[in-house]
Amino acid sequence: MNELMVICVIGIAVAMETKKLKLNLSDLKAKNEQLTLEKRDLQNQTEDLRTNMTKLTAEKMFFENQTKEMTTCPKDWIQFQESCYFFYNLNSPWKTWDQSRQFCQSNKSDLVVISSLEEQTFIKSKIKYYYDTLHGYWIGLQKVNNIWIWVDGSPDTLGYLNNPGSSDNFTCIIQNATLTQSWIQNRNGFLNRFICEIKALIF
């Protein structure tokens, strides 16, 4: 009789444990299904993000190409606003004002015409100090009949001359001077670097 009770108790215990294990297994299956659904959702979201990234990258490339097509400068020229600038930075040979202008004109441009403080700031930020304080970069400003005239025929309205009492008729910009007093008068035969300017091609 006691053995039968023991067997019954063991049977009940096994049945309860089996039921508990089945419930745990059922719970694990439910959680696994939930995780599978969440994984699928994350995969869908990742795919959407990839699609959006691909679209954004394509749009970025399109706008970059559009920008390049809208404004174009020759190779080795630097764009600022609607113009392109060439800074002649070779250590030799330096050139006279006339030779510098001929070089620019042979490249379908002319010596730079500076018409605003913004343009002056840009140009001065790009030039380099070299040799001594008198050497700079020729710009397209010359004295004609005692009037300072740019190569495009316009009169100078900025007056950034460093040595206005000089009798020399040609002008270069130097790096080692204040922003609004950085134009040095020199004779045509003085040898300097120079800056060319051309309008950017706009499509």
Side-chain angles (χ1 to χ4, degrees), residues 86-118:
F86 176 77
F87 294 83
Y88 183 91
N89 284 315
L90 297 182
N91 290 326
S92 65
W94 302 332
K95 299 181 184 295
T96 66
W97 191 89
D98 279 339
Q99 289 171 341
S100 300
R101 190 176 188 193
Q102 288 169 8
F103 178 96
C104 293
Q105 290 177 332
S106 70
N107 286 278
K108 300 178 181 179
S109 61
D110 210 335
L111 286 171
V112 63
V113 174
I114 303 174
S115 56
S116 68
L117 178 60
E118 292 77 16

Side-chain angles (χ1 to χ4, degrees), residues 17-193:
E17 190 63 28
T18 301
K19 184 177 181 182
K20 184 179 177 182
L21 288 172
K22 286 181 178 178
L23 288 172
N24 288 340
L25 181 60
S26 178
D27 187 53
L28 286 173
K29 286 182 178 179
K31 287 182 177 179
N32 186 56
E33 288 176 359
Q34 179 65 27
L35 288 172
T36 301
L37 290 173
E38 290 177 356
K39 179 184 176 184
R40 190 175 302 155
D41 186 53
L42 284 172
Q43 287 175 335
N44 290 336
Q45 290 181 19
T46 302
E47 190 61 33
D48 288 341
L49 285 172
R50 284 177 181 160
T51 301
N52 288 335
M53 184 63 72
T54 302
K55 182 180 178 182
L56 287 172
T57 302
E59 289 177 351
K60 180 174 178 284
M61 291 177 63
F62 172 79
F63 285 118
E64 285 177 347
N65 290 334
Q66 287 290 100
T67 302
K68 288 178 182 177
E69 290 174 2
M70 288 173 61
T71 53
T72 306
C73 288
K75 183 181 178 183
D76 298 326
W77 292 57
I78 302 173
Q79 184 175 340
F80 175 72
Q81 295 179 349
E82 295 181 357
S83 290
C84 304
Y85 301 81
F86 176 77
F87 294 83
Y88 183 91
N89 284 315
L90 297 182
N91 290 326
S92 65
W94 302 332
K95 299 181 184 295
T96 66
W97 191 89
D98 279 339
Q99 289 171 341
S100 300
R101 190 176 188 193
Q102 288 169 8
F103 178 96
C104 293
Q105 290 177 332
S106 70
N107 286 278
K108 300 178 181 179
S109 61
D110 210 335
L111 286 171
V112 63
V113 174
I114 303 174
S115 56
S116 68
L117 178 60
E118 292 77 16
E119 188 175 18
Q120 167 79 356
T121 303
F122 161 75
I123 289 170
K124 196 165 182 301
S125 72
K126 297 298 181 184
I127 61 175
K128 304 174 182 177
Y129 176 87
Y130 70 100
Y131 196 70
D132 62 24
T133 56
L134 295 178
H135 281 77
Y137 293 70
W138 288 122
I139 59 177
L141 185 63
Q142 61 179 322
K143 192 188 294 181
V144 179
N145 297 325
N146 216 35
I147 298 173
W148 287 106
I149 301 292
W150 292 100
V151 290
D152 65 356
S154 62
D156 175 54
T157 58
L158 298 175
Y160 293 157
L161 292 169
N162 183 287
N163 55 342
S166 171
S167 60
D168 293 320
N169 297 329
F170 300 88
T171 314
C172 66
I173 182 172
I174 60 174
Q175 198 278 333
N176 192 29
T178 60
L179 181 64
T180 57
Q181 289 184 312
S182 54
W183 298 351
I184 297 290
Q185 293 172 234
N186 265 320
R187 66 186 185 280
N188 184 20
F190 198 78
L191 300 179
N192 276 316
R193 298 174 178 178

